Amino acid sequence: MAETVLEIENLRTSFNIKGNYYAAVDGVSLSVHKNEVVAIVGESGCGKSALALSIIGLHNAKTTKLEGQVNLKGQNLLNLPVEKLNKIRGKDLGMIFQDPMTALNPLATIGRQIAEPMDYHMKLSSAAKKKRVLELLGQVGIKDANRIYKQYPHELSGGMRQRVVIAIALACNPVMLIADEPTTALDVTIQAQIMDLMKELQRITDSGIILITHDLGVVAEMANRVAVMYAGEFVEIADVNTLFSNPLHPYTRSLLSSIPSNMTDKEELHVIEGIVPSIQKLDREGCRFAPRIPWISEDAHEDKPTLHEVEPGHFVRCTCYKEFHFPEERVEDENYVTT
Amino acid sequence: MVKFIFRRLLVMIPQLFLLSLIIFILAKQMPGDAVTGAFMGNPNVTPEQVEKIREQYGLNDPWYVQYGAWVGKAVQGDLGSSYTHKQPVTSLLAGRVTNTVTLSLFILIVSYIIAIPLGIIAGRWTDSWSDKLIVTYNYFAFATPLFVFSLLMLFFFGFVLGWFPTGNSVDVRLEVGTWDFYLSKLKHLVLPGMSGALLATAGTIQYLRNDIIDTKLKDFVKTARAKGVPEGKVYTRHILRNSMLPIAAFLGYEITGLISGSIFLEMIFSYPGLGQLFIQSITGRDFTVTTAIVMISGTAVIVGTMLSDIILSAIDPRIRIE
Amino acid sequence: MSLLNVNNLQVHFPIRGGFFRRVVDQVRAVDGVSFELEPGETYGLVGESGCGKTTTGRAIIGLNKATGGEVLFNGDNLANMNGHDRRKHIRDIQMIFQDPYSSLNGRKNVLNIIAEPLRNFERLSPKEELTRVQNMIERVGLSPESIYKYPHQFSGGQRQRIGIARALMLNPKLIIADEPVSALDVSVQAQVLNFMQEIQKDFGLTYLFISHDLGVIKHICDRIGIMYKGRFVEEGTAEDVYTNPQHLYTKRLIAAIPEMDPAKRFEKMELRNKINTAYRTEYDSYFDKDGRMFDLKPLTPTHSVAVQQGGM
């Protein structure tokens, strides 16, 4: 197995809401290896973006409490003072944001914005910096690099801007990249281009990538490994082929069968009962998905659900997956006892 | 850029024309004219004499003829002569325009010198004690009427402490052009200038503070942090430049406010500027002077907004017009 | 007879410029679009941002002014009617919007939101009104007491149901749904899509479904029109378009749908590369000498493509 570049251990990110701290990321552990894309997939409010921002330290320190460890190159990023963290952000750790329309400074040229991380992390002459910027622009598939170098963000289309955002993240050859919904704000054909570009870049660079997304299609196209997140926890972790061919956790299975393009024509889509609990109202005892599958017997769940390694590299939280079936499915397992 | 400035200057011509027309018509609508103002209640002047003077100054011509004559002369630098002061308006205004412009510039510059650091401190460290202090100051500055504050300043620094002169724009005994002359000008400027600036700065502080609070939550600021840009540089390189935009856009309106504000200041500090003259000319029905002053103030507003446009187009690439 | 017949619809917006703000050019947001909706069907308008699909929907209901062409609804041309006459017809056409967060007035409670169309078109006593609103709210799967709540007290999916309830109040025949599920999570999206299909049967609705999401369009639509730069590129049944795309742009769109089988991802990437290369080299042959896309030319009775007359 390739070298581990990022190791998250029991990360807990809590937000202060009216005086109390509530965990949005609730005890997450994950390691990312060199040249590996790990997708973190879940619906809004599951804590995936909070997780991304915790890794790179972009939460408001006053209202956020971070516990656990995020280890990169032997340092726990959570313990570092901002000055030290700034030596790592932009250098070893790059970030790709969701919305290219707002992620770039409207008043600075593209060239300047891509060169900026080099100002702080690399000792290069300005000519060398420019050379590197043009090289990066080429790498992200921008042909007319010399012209784009001098332009401002508003002069570029959304797809071009997202390429620029990627170039910024790659500027100092990071060992680790965090991509927070990198294709969500883009048009379909542009999304496809950016996905292909990132696959291409992954071949060239050695970086580990954490890909945050709500779109299982994007996961299928880009990830090596997938962690499915629900209510602040990982509920299933598996290699991408396994996750799509043999999904086990009820949430993963429900999610997959609610995607229209996955279904044959006109078939009714699966609907997950109830709603995602808010972090204040979340019942943190027992299986957090249990209220969404009330037709599954309470005995099927563990009291304190943990991740079980059901086959090498495939982890599932709680035991309820063993007895899970969709409500409309006939239960053929004779051992199944209805209550 | 040059083309843009040129076009922007071109736009000013119809604006100025419209302004002059409106001012002229409005002034004509004022009750009475220079003659009634000067001679009313004077028993030695007969109505026939008044009528003769009216005829002599062309006050009985149709308004457009009067307007044409006024504009024709004005573009040559002749704004007519004052009926009450019995001297050409141009020479009457010359010294006062300089005084008012100096006072306005002083207020403008000082208020920015105060506002920019305070706005940045309040915006960057929101909810800190320094922010709270600054916001409290702003409340007071917004709530205090200019004339009350000016009178207090005058009383305290002018009379009680005697640090600064309480009237005029310069010590008349000094010789024009000497070092002492300019020093005296500055000393006369401090009280009215500071009174204006200390209040005027509140608007700018508040504007800058709010804009920084907005801007620091923007995505591109997150991008900057993710690049490892040190906190100080995040502000200087990313937040401040964006937050200065509305301040620059505001400059034109700031000038407008200063000119109307200077009326109070000049009256209270007996500072011989346009404002003081304006009040005198209205009470004296000094038509030529009134129109000239309103015209100058209006032009200042138009020039101010033009300056704002040009500054904005220089620093914001999104509205840079080819 | 078809329910809606859009004939050579044009929506042009003037571009003003120069010193005197003269009209120097037109943005041809919708530039000669024709299609028909049969009663009870779901017709999908699909395309990327700026292709004119939303403007087309808005022009049908009169939110954007049609600068040319006809919008025949039950045989009456809505495009050249004045506001008063259109009002009489427009109650049969309702719209559902993308963002369930901003399309509901946050200061009104659900009762007032849902009753609004009723108040605009019918004179009812408060009691009758209340009964109708309560029936509808139960029909869309919300509890009767929720009519006194405000939009922010609901989840995204529930809000979209409120939007749908409002649209259904006047028993419309046609619903124009503009990206109704784009702002929703997949599981909530599934809920709203299922629900829309269910009420379609119950109320005998015809849908004009506008979306950029090809997966959703494929799932819910009987026939599909693909738009690009204000024109139709291709039109056909879902089957025609997805399994037998003819126009290069359609092929490009279909290829852009993420591949759900991880094993085929590089295959898909190569397919896209091939289409993109073709897109670069053949692009011009899909436009006439004025840079305008060709008119649709029928291939089969259900399937038409915008290619040059006399073949590709």
Side-chain angles (χ1 to χ4, degrees):
Chain A
M1 177 147 273
E3 178 193 331
T4 303
V5 280
L6 181 85
E7 188 138 37
I8 302 171
E9 261 175 67
N10 208 15
L11 174 69
R12 181 169 280 108
T13 306
S14 316
F15 297 123
N16 189 335
I17 301 168
K18 289 176 188 151
N20 290 314
Y21 278 95
Y22 299 94
V25 178
D26 205 358
V28 157
S29 302
L30 180 74
S31 43
V32 183
H33 307 102
K34 219 172 175 175
N35 207 17
E36 182 188 38
V37 181
V38 179
I40 294 173
V41 66
E43 295 181 284
S44 30
C46 73
K48 57 187 192 302
S49 280
L51 171 60
L53 295 179
S54 307
I55 298 169
I56 196 155
L58 285 179
H59 283 301
N60 182 348
K62 278 184 208 157
T63 53
T64 318
K65 196 164 72 182
L66 295 168
E67 296 158 284
Q69 291 187 9
V70 174
N71 294 314
L72 183 80
K73 285 196 156 176
Q75 278 178 299
N76 179 5
L77 303 186
L78 301 189
N79 289 342
L80 291 181
V82 173
E83 298 75 42
K84 290 226 170 114
L85 191 58
N86 276 337
K87 297 264 179 285
I88 292 169
R89 293 199 285 211
K91 179 167 179 274
D92 298 318
L93 189 57
M95 175 110 188
I96 299 167
F97 291 91
Q98 172 173 0
D99 189 353
M101 293 318 209
T102 56
L104 297 172
N105 186 341
L107 301 185
T109 59
I110 299 300
R112 192 82 275 291
Q113 301 199 45
I114 301 177
E116 195 178 18
M118 300 174 208
D119 296 351
Y120 303 106
H121 307 300
M122 289 169 144
K123 296 225 181 307
L124 289 179
S125 67
S126 48
K129 266 183 216 162
K130 179 164 183 186
K131 191 168 161 265
R132 170 97 183 111
V133 172
L134 294 177
E135 187 184 300
L136 282 162
L137 284 170
Q139 269 184 19
V140 296
I142 291 178
K143 296 207 176 56
D144 205 355
N146 274 305
R147 187 168 57 90
I148 303 292
Y149 184 88
K150 284 182 241 132
Q151 284 188 310
Y152 289 90
H154 71 279
E155 296 170 278
L156 308 183
S157 67
M160 290 288 259
R161 291 193 209 185
Q162 193 61 323
R163 288 170 194 269
V164 171
V165 171
I166 294 173
I168 291 173
L170 294 175
C172 300
N173 293 315
V175 293
M176 189 65 216
L177 267 179
I178 318 270
D180 187 4
E181 304 267 12
T183 62
T184 305
L186 305 172
D187 261 326
V188 252
T189 55
I190 310 298
Q191 157 166 320
Q193 286 172 15
I194 297 292
M195 285 193 305
D196 289 342
L197 169 68
M198 287 184 68
K199 279 186 268 180
E200 201 65 65
L201 290 173
Q202 197 209 348
R203 283 182 185 175
I204 309 169
T205 69
D206 263 348
S207 330
I209 300 177
I210 285 186
L211 171 72
I212 308 281
T213 182
H214 69 281
D215 188 338
L216 281 158
V218 173
V219 174
E221 285 250 2
M222 294 178 59
N224 300 120
R225 223 149 39 92
V226 190
V228 181
M229 199 166 180
Y230 181 81
E233 294 177 328
F234 286 159
V235 293
E236 185 160 4
I237 303 172
D239 149 71
V240 69
N241 293 311
T242 314
L243 191 96
F244 281 86
S245 59
N246 183 27
L248 290 178
H249 194 276
Y251 181 60
T252 317
R253 291 179 59 189
S254 307
L255 216 48
L256 279 166
S257 51
S258 61
I259 302 171
S261 52
N262 234 8
M263 294 285 100
T264 44
D265 242 16
K266 300 281 176 281
E267 198 177 311
E268 198 158 298
L269 301 168
H270 176 66
V271 173
I272 306 177
E273 265 190 41
I275 53 162
V276 179
S278 69
I279 59 172
Q280 289 131 288
K281 290 185 182 151
L282 177 64
D283 180 8
R284 289 168 200 272
E285 295 295 310
C287 178
R288 294 182 185 184
F289 197 61
R292 314 282 307 265
I293 44 170
W295 63 92
I296 302 297
S297 122
E298 277 180 35
D299 306 334
H301 300 287
E302 270 180 303
D303 289 340
K304 294 207 183 304
T306 52
L307 283 170
H308 304 278
E309 189 162 15
V310 293
E311 55 187 311
H314 189 175
F315 297 86
V316 184
R317 188 175 293 275
C318 193
T319 46
C320 57
Y321 75 90
K322 291 179 190 162
E323 291 178 23
F324 178 72
H325 59 88
F326 288 113
E328 59 274 22
E329 279 174 351
R330 285 259 306 274
V331 184
E332 274 153 30
D333 185 350
E334 283 162 26
N335 300 328
Y336 182 79
V337 190
T338 43
T339 46
Chain B
M1 193 68 200
V2 177
K3 210 174 150 196
F4 171 72
I5 294 174
F6 179 73
R7 270 170 59 165
R8 194 61 190 74
L9 284 168
L10 220 62
V11 173
M12 276 176 62
I13 293 172
Q15 284 179 330
L16 286 173
F17 169 73
L18 219 64
L19 175 74
S20 64
L21 197 65
I22 292 169
I23 289 171
F24 189 83
I25 291 170
L26 283 176
K28 280 282 150 191
Q29 298 299 319
M30 289 201 311
D33 57 27
V35 184
T36 36
F39 303 115
M40 206 160 51
N42 186 340
N44 297 328
V45 183
T46 64
E48 289 75 31
Q49 281 174 311
V50 169
E51 200 49 40
K52 216 178 125 198
I53 295 166
R54 281 220 171 96
E55 195 65 43
Q56 192 189 328
Y57 281 112
L59 292 174
N60 286 340
D61 293 341
W63 71 268
Y64 49 87
V65 175
Q66 292 187 38
Y67 173 71
W70 179 62
V71 170
K73 282 184 176 168
V75 289
Q76 295 166 28
D78 178 7
L79 290 163
S81 46
S82 161
Y83 311 109
T84 48
H85 290 80
K86 302 281 184 280
Q87 57 167 309
V89 175
T90 325
S91 65
L92 180 67
L93 290 179
R96 292 169 184 263
V97 169
T98 325
N99 282 342
T100 298
V101 169
T102 322
L103 179 62
S104 301
L105 277 180
F106 182 89
I107 295 176
L108 197 69
I109 292 167
V110 172
S111 72
Y112 278 132
I113 290 176
I114 302 170
I116 290 172
L118 291 190
I120 292 172
I121 291 168
R124 179 167 173 181
W125 291 282
T126 336
D127 280 335
S128 65
W129 64 264
S130 42
D131 173 39
K132 283 179 185 141
L133 211 67
I134 290 165
V135 171
T136 315
Y137 171 75
N138 275 353
Y139 280 131
F140 278 109
F142 277 128
T144 315
L146 181 61
F147 68 93
V148 173
F149 185 65
S150 307
L151 283 173
L152 285 173
M153 293 280 281
L154 182 68
F155 177 72
F156 197 68
F157 293 101
F159 290 105
V160 178
L161 293 172
W163 290 358
F164 297 102
T166 55
N168 284 324
S169 70
V170 71
D171 191 335
V172 284
R173 289 162 302 182
L174 292 167
E175 196 185 324
V176 179
T178 58
W179 175 248
D180 283 343
F181 175 81
Y182 290 113
L183 201 69
S184 156
K185 277 219 138 185
L186 187 68
K187 266 189 136 178
H188 283 79
L189 204 57
V190 170
L191 268 190
M194 288 309 286
S195 308
L198 285 174
L199 294 192
T201 197
T204 315
I205 295 178
Q206 199 66 19
Y207 221 97
L208 187 57
R209 174 183 182 269
N210 293 349
D211 210 275
I212 289 175
I213 291 171
D214 277 354
T215 309
K216 67 184 182 181
L217 297 174
K218 294 254 166 81
D219 282 353
F220 68 83
V221 175
K222 280 196 191 121
T223 306
R225 296 219 165 89
K227 285 174 181 176
V229 178
E231 194 60 17
K233 288 260 165 56
V234 168
Y235 277 85
T236 52
R237 280 193 172 185
H238 295 277
I239 297 177
L240 294 184
R241 203 167 161 214
N242 280 278
S243 292
M244 289 298 184
L245 284 181
I247 304 282
F250 221 62
L251 185 73
Y253 303 97
E254 201 79 25
I255 291 174
T256 322
L258 286 176
I259 285 167
S260 50
S262 69
I263 294 179
F264 285 114
L265 287 171
E266 288 172 8
M267 290 301 285
I268 289 164
F269 293 97
S270 324
Y271 189 84
L274 283 181
Q276 207 192 27
L277 184 64
F278 186 55
I279 303 287
Q280 285 169 6
S281 68
I282 288 176
T283 46
R285 304 282 188 276
D286 202 344
F287 173 64
T288 41
V289 178
T290 314
T291 41
I293 294 176
V294 177
M295 192 64 207
I296 288 171
S297 326
T299 310
V301 173
I302 291 173
V303 171
T305 41
M306 182 193 69
L307 275 180
S308 283
D309 280 2
I310 292 174
I311 293 172
L312 213 54
S313 75
I315 52 179
D316 190 342
R318 285 166 296 187
I319 51 170
R320 217 164 271 172
I321 301 156
E322 296 307 322
Chain C
M1 196 185 82
S2 48
L3 179 71
L4 180 77
N5 197 331
V6 175
N7 221 333
N8 197 25
L9 179 71
Q10 295 179 335
V11 183
H12 293 184
F13 297 109
I15 305 174
R16 289 172 192 278
F19 197 69
F20 295 104
R21 321 280 311 142
R22 283 174 320 232
V23 176
V24 290
D25 203 357
Q26 303 277 339
V27 178
R28 294 176 171 78
V30 179
D31 194 16
V33 158
S34 307
F35 60 97
E36 285 177 28
L37 262 66
E38 300 302 325
E41 80 168 331
T42 303
Y43 189 95
L45 268 188
V46 61
E48 296 184 278
S49 48
C51 72
K53 57 188 192 299
T54 294
T55 313
T56 304
R58 291 172 60 92
I60 292 169
I61 205 166
L63 289 173
N64 281 127
K65 179 135 184 56
T67 47
E70 297 176 314
V71 176
L72 298 175
F73 183 68
N74 277 329
D76 301 310
N77 188 1
L78 299 177
N80 58 15
M81 274 181 200
N82 59 33
H84 182 75
D85 287 337
R86 181 186 289 132
R87 232 178 97 86
K88 281 184 277 181
H89 296 83
I90 216 79
R91 63 172 291 174
D92 287 335
I93 308 178
Q94 291 293 323
M95 194 145 181
I96 304 173
F97 297 92
Q98 167 171 8
D99 189 352
Y101 298 88
S102 62
S103 63
L104 302 178
N105 183 344
R107 287 192 199 86
K108 286 184 172 177
N109 66 21
V110 173
L111 172 65
N112 286 323
I113 288 171
I114 296 181
E116 195 189 342
L118 272 184
R119 290 171 192 167
N120 289 340
F121 284 98
E122 287 176 30
R123 292 262 161 268
L124 292 178
S125 72
K127 209 178 149 208
E128 281 173 308
E129 184 186 282
L130 185 70
T131 330
R132 292 216 6 213
V133 170
Q134 264 169 342
N135 288 342
M136 183 55 74
I137 205 81
E138 276 179 74
R139 185 62 200 78
V140 300
L142 297 172
S143 65
E145 21 338 325
S146 53
I147 59 168
Y148 297 110
K149 289 189 184 167
Y150 288 83
H152 70 266
Q153 293 168 290
F154 295 92
S155 69
Q158 287 171 326
R159 263 184 267 215
Q160 199 54 294
R161 281 160 185 262
I162 296 169
I164 294 172
R166 175 177 61 182
L168 290 176
M169 265 333 268
L170 294 167
N171 281 320
K173 297 190 176 72
L174 171 65
I175 286 193
I176 299 174
D178 187 6
E179 303 268 11
V181 294
S182 304
L184 306 173
D185 269 321
V186 250
S187 67
V188 183
Q189 167 182 299
Q191 192 185 355
V192 173
L193 289 177
N194 284 351
F195 175 68
M196 282 183 71
Q197 287 184 320
E198 196 185 309
I199 55 170
Q200 179 168 36
K201 279 180 223 134
D202 299 355
F203 289 79
L205 296 170
T206 307
Y207 285 137
L208 179 63
F209 197 101
I210 299 167
S211 177
H212 71 280
D213 187 326
L214 291 136
V216 171
I217 287 277
K218 183 185 180 193
H219 177 77
I220 199 162
C221 296
D222 306 304
R223 290 195 304 133
I224 292 162
I226 301 206
M227 283 186 78
Y228 181 62
K229 292 193 172 170
R231 310 257 303 156
F232 265 35
V233 171
E234 191 158 352
E235 187 191 40
T237 62
E239 172 85 14
D240 289 336
V241 172
Y242 283 86
T243 56
N244 187 24
Q246 290 298 312
H247 198 282
L248 190 55
Y249 182 72
T250 316
K251 289 180 190 168
R252 191 165 179 242
L253 269 186
I254 306 286
I257 304 173
E259 176 59 57
M260 289 303 277
D261 181 355
K264 290 188 187 149
R265 61 167 74 148
F266 284 101
E267 234 171 85
K268 192 71 173 249
M269 190 170 154
E270 263 155 44
L271 173 70
R272 283 187 202 131
N273 279 338
K274 226 164 68 191
I275 291 173
N276 282 340
T277 314
Y279 200 71
R280 276 192 292 275
T281 54
E282 296 169 24
Y283 187 79
D284 289 339
S285 65
Y286 285 88
F287 295 87
D288 67 13
K289 56 183 189 310
D290 302 326
R292 199 164 178 256
M293 210 137 25
F294 298 107
D295 289 329
L296 287 181
K297 192 186 89 177
L299 277 185
T300 69
T302 57
H303 193 178
S304 342
V305 194
V307 285
Q308 204 163 2
Q309 287 298 329
M312 301 188 67

